[in-house]
Amino acid sequence: MNKYDLFNQIVLNNGNVRLSPISSKDEAENLVFLAHQLEREGKISLLKFCIEKDPIAVSLKTKLIIKAN
């Protein structure tokens, strides 16, 4: 999953996402890394994340940041 797909999943799920099944721990860690990138870009505020072990899954609790023009 790329950063833009992850952002779309976050938007569609009102900020609370559970991605499962994940094929590996490395893939799970990459998803958390992408969430941190979205946070640095000012698109979300990452409130909480969890990498679950069996089955491998990633849960994200976020808050969308809406910028006014």
Side-chain angles (χ1 to χ4, degrees):
M1 178 176 291
N2 65 39
K3 180 172 56 174
Y4 303 104
D5 292 336
L6 178 58
F7 182 69
N8 286 334
Q9 286 294 316
I10 291 169
V11 170
L12 290 173
N13 292 291
N14 295 319
N16 296 314
V17 180
R18 184 173 189 275
L19 303 164
S20 176
I22 305 293
S23 62
S24 69
K25 183 180 174 188
D26 288 339
E27 184 182 353
E29 290 172 350
N30 186 58
L31 288 169
V32 172
F33 175 78
L34 293 175
H36 281 289
Q37 281 187 325
L38 289 168
E39 184 174 42
R40 283 191 297 276
E41 292 174 6
K43 294 182 178 182
I44 65 170
S45 177
L46 182 58
L47 304 174
K48 184 177 180 181
F49 70 89
C50 179
I51 297 177
E52 301 166 24
K53 291 183 181 180
D54 191 19
I56 299 173
V58 174
S59 297
L60 304 171
K61 184 174 182 180
T62 69
K63 183 176 180 180
L64 294 172
I65 297 176
I66 300 177
K67 295 181 179 180
N69 290 342

